[in-house]
Structures are given as structure tokens and as C-alpha cells.
Amino acid sequence: MVKKDLSITFLGVKFPNPFCLSSSPVGNDYDMCAKAYQTGWGGVVFKTIGPKSYVINEVSPRFDVLNKEAEPFVGFKNMEQIAEHSLEENLADLKRLKKDFPDKVLIASIMGNDEATWEDLARKVTEAGADMIEMNLSCPQMTSHAMGSDVGSNPELCKRYCQAVKRGSKLPMMAKMTPNITDMVEVAKACLAGGADGISAINTIKSICNVDLDKKIGMPIVNGKSSISGYSGKAVKPVALRFIQQLRDGIPGVEISGIGGLETWEDAAEFILVGAKTIQCTTAIMQYGYRIVEDLCNGLMHYMEEQKVDSLEKLVGKANKNIIPAENLDRDYIVYPHVDEDKCVGCGRCYISCYDGAHQAMEWDEEKRRPHCNHDKCVGCLLCGHVCPVGAISKGEIVLKKTAKPGRNIKDIRL
């Protein structure tokens, strides 16, 4: 078995590996967090603790899933709010976790509804033994507009609340961002100006997963009604990566805890390459259990071996410089598709998709049941390769456009 050092230092705190429970139902009490530690998770973000005055009263049922063909759980809708236990119970669990697992990283997620409660919660979780604080500025389904994502889209309010938390605690603190906003950078900068040491992103996306066609009600149905609420799971990974990339562009060097769609070690590597130092997980745990961390760690160690790196830190942000504005991309060439006739099963999927959804460049031999690319029509979009069910279409010949800049050399093009 390949053994690599997966430890990483985030906001001055050393994690044994980058994988953490995110603030959610998967880290709702002492027993759950203890089991996660014992299974090998690098850290726990305890489910968000709110002020004593805010009483949680949840709906039932509260989840829905988005499926695609034979794939379950492509996306997950969650109507649950913050921790339903009392403030005293939550603080007692934090204290007990730190006592029983002194060498494990314990992160307290908090959410106030004014400056005084933010400051008070920060002080209380510090006294309970937390190693770090995460400010939840972004839950999309709170019943109070003074809390959650309505706050997270207001830079000035976020700055003031960050200042309040820093008055209550000297612990390292990250601000958790909402994706229900056009530009996250402005809010993140305000949080950092208010004293946040780093950023966590993203929280869930406001959504309606499904609508019951007979009852004409969104899902899940709660006494004949439904509501918009947070969307997570594999389907949100592209959105999470986009926001993390933009944060690293807009605030060079900012330390980020990545959240949104982690299921595999490949997902983890992608988050790290775009700049995340730690990675938080909920939906995959709800589907597969805490033991997925074993595969995550093992796969990431093998990837480090392939990349010939001994420190995970060396991979953080390595993709940032290679993701550039669209107007700066090279538009001088076309990549034509190559059809491997030994793999091709003659299904015609590429032909249909190209004719009906692209540029009518893929032609069809009825007798041989084989496709052929007409280079005079092909624009090199490679939709055909993405829809091929057996992987018979790959990148083929590269040709410079007539409009290419003088002196261009095909040999210099990297795919």
C-alpha cells in the first residue's frame, strides 16, 4: 500500500488529512463526531450552533433527491436548519469531544442573529475547547431573515459580524460563503477585512429538485406545500470549483476550505488543485457512510505518488494559473475527433447528437453502421466524444485555422 503524508496546515492548525465533516446532519452530536474521528476523518465541523433564543422546529419529511437514469443521488435537497439541540447540549458535546479526542481538529460552526450573539457564541465555543470557528453566513433555509444566506449576501453586515466574532475569540476563524450570489469575492473580502482568517465555500444552492406532476407541489411535500431550499451533492461540484477559483483569482493566497460535491478522491484532488486546503463533506456520507474517508485517503495518496510529491501542500492551487478568462483562450486551431472503429458499436449516438445538437459534421454509413467526420463542417466541439457510450471517440488531428496568427506551430499546442 502506498503511504504518503496527507497532513496539511490550514489557518495555522495542522490536520492529519484534509477531509472533514461539514456542518450538517452528519456531525450533529457527540456520538456521530466520535465515530467520524475513529473512522479517520481529519477534522469535524460540528453542526451549526445558534443562539439560545432561536428555537429550531423542523419539518417532516425534509429531503429530496435528483436522479438521472440509473444514477441515484446526483443531487440532494435539504430543508434542515441548524442544530436542533439546546445551546447547553451542543457546548457539552464540544467539550466532551475535545476531552476524548484532544489530538483531533474540532471546528465549531456558529450562527448569530446580531453582533452580540455572534460575539457570545464565539466566546462560548472557545471556552468549550474548539480549535477553530466557522461562521455560517450562508444557510439558505433559515426561517429568520436575520440569519443565513440573506446575511451572507451583504458585505457590510458580514464584516460587522466577523468583527464581533473576533471580539469574542482569538481562535482561527473562517467565514462560510453562500453561492446564492453573483460575485462571492466582494463578500469574502469584507469578511477578511472584518477579521476572518480564511474562507469556506460553498454552502448549498437554493433549489427545487422536483415537482410532483399529479399533486403539482414541489418536493418534499409538507402538508400540501413545499419550499425552496439547499441543493448539494455531486451536481454542485462544478459550481463549487468555479467559486473557489474566483476566490483565488480575486484574493491571491487566500486559504480556503472547499465544500460541495465531494464523493471520490478525484473530486478531492480537483478541489485541492483549484486552491482548497481542506475539504468538507456531507451528502456522500449520507449516502455511503463515514468509511468513504478510507477510499478518499488511499486514492489521494496514490495520486500524490503518481505526481511524485511528498507534501499535499505542493498540490494546493496548482490549477489556478491554468484557468483563465475566456477571452484569453487560444482560438487558433481545431481538434477533430478520431473514431476507433474497433471500439465503435454502431449505435449512431454520435451522429444523432451532432446532427441535432451540434454542426451536422458527423456523417453516417448506413451499410457499415459507422460514423465518419466531415472536416469541412466540423468545428471541433467534440460533443460526439462526450455522448459516445463506449469511449470510441477521442481527440484526433489538430489543424490550424486560416485565421491563426502567423508563425503558429501545431507542435506547441498542448491538449
Side-chain angles (χ1 to χ4, degrees), residues 139-216:
C139 180
Q141 56 254 5
M142 298 304 296
T143 56
S144 168
H145 293 289
M147 304 167 77
S149 60
D150 289 346
V151 173
S153 57
N154 185 323
E156 183 55 36
L157 197 54
C158 287
K159 180 179 178 180
R160 293 212 314 267
Y161 287 167
C162 287
Q163 290 170 332
V165 168
K166 279 301 183 181
R167 289 196 296 270
S169 174
K170 300 304 179 186
L171 289 178
M173 182 267 284
M174 53 182 161
K176 189 173 184 179
M177 299 288 97
T178 176
N180 302 298
I181 190 171
T182 304
D183 183 4
M184 192 180 287
V185 173
E186 182 184 2
V187 178
K189 284 182 175 179
C191 290
L192 295 169
D197 301 289
I199 300 295
S200 56
I202 61 173
N203 208 321
T204 52
I205 302 169
K206 290 183 179 182
S207 71
I208 298 173
C209 269
N210 301 286
V211 175
D212 187 300
L213 298 183
D214 294 321
K215 297 178 181 177
K216 302 173 184 64

Side-chain angles (χ1 to χ4, degrees), residues 253-272:
V254 64
E255 293 196 40
I256 298 171
S257 183
I259 317 168
L262 171 73
E263 281 193 6
T264 67
W265 73 262
E266 292 95 337
D267 297 330
E270 290 177 299
F271 272 94
I272 291 165

Side-chain angles (χ1 to χ4, degrees), residues 49-346:
I49 300 170
K52 189 172 185 177
S53 60
Y54 190 73
V55 178
I56 299 297
N57 187 15
E58 298 287 11
V59 298
S60 177
R62 65 191 73 162
F63 300 146
D64 189 30
V65 297
L66 183 69
N67 301 323
K68 186 181 186 299
E69 298 164 353
E71 293 294 324
F73 251 70
V74 173
F76 182 75
K77 181 185 177 186
N78 173 17
M79 297 171 70
E80 193 162 305
Q81 300 179 85
I82 59 177
E84 72 271 25
H85 304 122
S86 70
L87 176 59
E88 291 78 13
E89 288 174 307
N90 289 322
L91 293 172
D93 278 355
L94 289 181
K95 189 172 293 187
R96 184 180 172 196
L97 283 167
K98 200 58 198 175
K99 177 178 178 293
D100 292 349
F101 301 93
D103 298 327
K104 300 289 188 179
V105 179
L106 178 60
I107 303 167
S109 175
I110 61 173
M111 182 190 291
N113 50 12
D114 57 35
E115 290 184 49
T117 53
W118 279 106
E119 183 176 342
D120 183 58
L121 286 169
R123 185 177 296 109
K124 282 182 167 61
V125 298
T126 302
E127 292 168 352
D131 299 300
M132 187 182 295
I133 293 173
E134 180 179 81
M135 290 180 64
N136 188 340
L137 299 164
S138 47
C139 180
Q141 56 254 5
M142 298 304 296
T143 56
S144 168
H145 293 289
M147 304 167 77
S149 60
D150 289 346
V151 173
S153 57
N154 185 323
E156 183 55 36
L157 197 54
C158 287
K159 180 179 178 180
R160 293 212 314 267
Y161 287 167
C162 287
Q163 290 170 332
V165 168
K166 279 301 183 181
R167 289 196 296 270
S169 174
K170 300 304 179 186
L171 289 178
M173 182 267 284
M174 53 182 161
K176 189 173 184 179
M177 299 288 97
T178 176
N180 302 298
I181 190 171
T182 304
D183 183 4
M184 192 180 287
V185 173
E186 182 184 2
V187 178
K189 284 182 175 179
C191 290
L192 295 169
D197 301 289
I199 300 295
S200 56
I202 61 173
N203 208 321
T204 52
I205 302 169
K206 290 183 179 182
S207 71
I208 298 173
C209 269
N210 301 286
V211 175
D212 187 300
L213 298 183
D214 294 321
K215 297 178 181 177
K216 302 173 184 64
I217 306 170
M219 302 291 286
I221 298 172
V222 181
N223 192 21
K225 302 293 181 182
S226 192
S227 71
I228 292 171
S229 62
Y231 186 58
S232 64
K234 191 78 167 181
V236 310
K237 186 187 76 170
V239 181
L241 295 177
R242 161 235 167 166
F243 274 116
I244 294 172
Q245 173 66 30
Q246 289 178 326
L247 285 169
R248 295 279 290 188
D249 275 342
I251 315 172
V254 64
E255 293 196 40
I256 298 171
S257 183
I259 317 168
L262 171 73
E263 281 193 6
T264 67
W265 73 262
E266 292 95 337
D267 297 330
E270 290 177 299
F271 272 94
I272 291 165
L273 290 173
V274 296
K277 277 196 159 186
T278 62
I279 307 156
Q280 300 182 30
C281 182
T282 285
T283 308
I285 295 173
M286 297 174 91
Q287 191 172 8
Y288 303 114
Y290 293 128
R291 286 189 61 188
I292 65 165
V293 74
E294 297 170 7
D295 290 336
L296 295 174
C297 288
N298 191 39
L300 196 54
M301 285 190 287
H302 276 86
Y303 177 65
M304 290 173 65
E305 177 75 8
E306 290 174 3
Q307 298 298 307
K308 296 180 171 55
V309 297
D310 293 319
S311 170
L312 196 57
E313 194 88 36
K314 293 179 180 178
L315 294 174
V316 175
K318 284 297 183 181
N320 290 143
K321 66 180 180 180
N322 297 320
I323 302 172
I324 61 176
E327 61 268 25
N328 295 338
L329 290 172
D330 189 343
R331 299 174 187 270
D332 279 353
Y333 65 90
I334 290 175
V335 183
Y336 292 119
H338 168 73
V339 179
D340 186 334
E341 295 199 0
D342 292 333
K343 288 185 180 179
C344 179
V345 295

